[in-house]
Amino acid sequence: MTNTTKKLLQVTDLQIGIPHPRRETLVIVNKASFDVGYGEMVGIVGESGSGKTMVCRSMIGTLERRGAKVLAGQVLFEDQDLAHASETTWKKLRGKAIGYVPQSALAGPNPVLTIGAQLSEALKKSDTKGTIAEQSKALLELVKIRRIDTVMKQYPNQLSGGMRQRVMIACALASNPKLLIADEPTTGLDVTVQAQIMVLLKEIRNEFGTAIILISHDLALIDDVCDRVVVMHAGATVEVGSVSEMTTPRHPYTVALNQSRIDIAVPGSELVTILGNAPSVGQWPTGCRFAGRCTIVQSDCTSGDHPPLFGDRGAHQSACLHADLLKGR
Ligand SMILES: Nc1ncnc2c1ncn2[C@@H]1O[C@H](COP(=O)(O)OP(=O)(O)OP(=O)(O)O)[C@@H](O)[C@H]1O
Ligand SMILES: [Mg+2]
């Protein structure tokens, strides 16, 4: 059944490439489609290079900084198509309706600015009420930082990794965004701190109704906190579904991701790794881009276009031509 409720974000057939003056444009994302509902927490999972960050960059207008651009498709945020927004539009939008905690944010806070100064910078762009000092304190309270007066005067290198990540989340929340994108926010943090950051994100969603996109390599982490999951492989969305739907995956790549999870491996058993490597960008094969690594590959998988997502939008969707062969796996 099609879910007709109005979505906050709708990404449709997004294609992103890196134009080159002499060579053919390198296509790095092709066939990315998914929705994010109001107040929904959506996880994007996929191995390194699958295009997770580039897809999110298209939502905050920073593709150009990486030499990339949207070649086709739509990124509808409420009623505005961000895929083709001009730089003037981005100047108004950036850092406002969508907050972004960049990948490697642990190294991200400006090392020469105190936490107070970083928050003032972020708050300058927002039009929320109150003095900058009041708002900065409120933001640090929101991300559960204690000893606020001391922390405001400190530099990033004086804080632990978990605290630095909380500060980055506070900065991203400065404009009270409707959507917060957290790109691998817990990479490099120990397991306990990881869990605390996840709890914090969930609390932010529950308390303020902020929709959240959480990018991670770790399906277990996403399962714990998200409502829905988007699986990416070689620049394409290969499966979309609710966390419970994902317990019976309809794409062999998701099956493989599930089997390679440390948390559900039987103690003493050998951890299953995913066969082969994802094809490199620019070297995608004809047909399904997962075919070369797939355990249920059929003769029709290696011809034609990479399959689209089958199934109704909002329901459990998979880009596998032979998902029925996965039943019972
Ligand atoms: N400027 C660039 N020139 C060439 N290739 C690029 C450029 N920027 C990104 N890419 C390629 O685009 C692909 C998608 O990159 P992206 O950063 O979105 O991956 P990712 O899924 O976020 O990976 P990770 O999990 O490692 O962060 C990668 O193969 C990357 O090498
Ligand atoms: Mg990334």
Side-chain angles (χ1 to χ4, degrees):
M1 209 176 60
T2 311
N3 186 343
T4 50
T5 319
K6 189 167 183 267
K7 299 292 178 194
L8 175 65
L9 179 84
Q10 287 184 294
V11 178
T12 307
D13 289 332
L14 183 64
Q15 193 182 51
I16 298 171
I18 303 188
H20 190 279
R22 287 179 302 281
R23 274 179 268 128
E24 227 178 284
T25 297
L26 181 69
V27 178
I28 55 176
V29 169
N30 192 7
K31 297 200 180 198
S33 298
F34 62 92
D35 298 335
V36 178
Y38 285 87
E40 192 173 36
M41 204 155 166
V42 173
I44 304 185
V45 71
E47 61 208 325
S48 201
S50 54
K52 306 179 295 295
T53 298
M54 288 313 223
V55 165
C56 290
R57 278 178 170 268
S58 73
M59 299 165 200
I60 51 162
T62 60
L63 279 175
E64 268 81 5
R65 292 180 199 168
R66 286 290 174 95
K69 62 183 269 198
V70 171
L71 302 175
Q74 244 190 356
V75 179
L76 263 192
F77 181 73
E78 300 205 293
D79 292 322
Q80 191 151 25
D81 185 11
L82 303 182
H84 303 102
S86 65
E87 193 45 39
T88 323
T89 310
W90 278 120
K91 281 208 174 105
K92 285 188 219 137
L93 280 179
R94 202 175 283 130
K96 289 191 177 150
I98 303 182
Y100 186 56
V101 181
Q103 190 165 3
S104 314
L106 287 184
N110 190 333
V112 297
L113 289 184
T114 61
I115 303 308
Q118 321 243 357
L119 284 164
S120 314
E121 280 294 309
L123 283 162
K124 269 189 211 154
K125 290 187 233 152
S126 84
D127 25 64
T128 40
K129 293 195 181 69
T131 65
I132 296 270
E134 282 163 3
Q135 290 182 67
S136 302
K137 284 187 180 176
L139 281 171
L140 291 182
E141 268 167 27
L142 199 136
V143 296
K144 310 271 175 350
I145 285 184
R146 278 178 249 136
R147 301 184 298 109
I148 287 177
D149 290 329
T150 312
V151 171
M152 292 267 268
K153 292 184 211 121
Q154 286 181 313
Y155 290 89
N157 69 351
Q158 294 173 286
L159 303 181
S160 68
M163 289 273 275
R164 282 208 294 272
Q165 195 57 283
R166 283 172 194 269
V167 169
M168 292 307 284
I169 295 172
C171 289
L173 290 173
S175 60
N176 196 17
K178 287 185 181 166
L179 174 66
L180 174 71
I181 303 170
D183 194 346
E184 311 222 17
T186 59
T187 307
L189 298 176
D190 69 49
V191 179
T192 326
V193 183
Q194 262 189 19
Q196 289 166 357
I197 298 288
M198 287 301 124
V199 169
L200 173 65
L201 289 176
K202 200 156 185 175
E203 281 174 2
I204 289 167
R205 190 283 291 273
N206 292 347
E207 216 166 303
F208 304 100
T210 316
I212 298 181
I213 293 181
L214 171 66
I215 301 183
S216 178
H217 286 103
D218 188 345
L219 200 50
L221 209 73
I222 283 181
D223 276 3
D224 282 348
V225 291
C226 291
D227 306 304
R228 281 188 324 116
V229 186
V230 173
V231 182
M232 289 201 59
H233 175 268
T237 314
V238 295
E239 186 160 3
V240 182
S242 66
V243 165
S244 63
E245 282 164 344
M246 288 297 179
T247 55
T248 48
R250 292 189 55 77
H251 195 283
Y253 177 59
T254 319
V255 173
L257 280 180
N258 266 335
Q259 285 170 345
S260 59
R261 278 170 61 162
I262 300 175
D263 62 316
I264 56 172
V266 179
S269 67
E270 218 171 291
L271 200 62
V272 183
T273 50
I274 303 177
L275 192 76
N277 293 314
S280 310
V281 280
Q283 294 168 20
W284 289 330
T286 315
C288 172
R289 289 172 217 153
F290 188 64
R293 319 168 72 186
C294 181
T295 50
I296 57 160
V297 63
Q298 306 292 308
S299 56
D300 58 347
C301 297
T302 50
S303 57
D305 251 4
H306 179 77
L309 280 174
F310 299 109
D312 289 331
R313 247 187 131 123
H316 192 177
Q317 293 179 291
S318 149
C320 179
L321 295 172
H322 299 284
D324 286 347
L325 296 177
L326 293 171
K327 279 196 179 129
R329 285 198 178 216

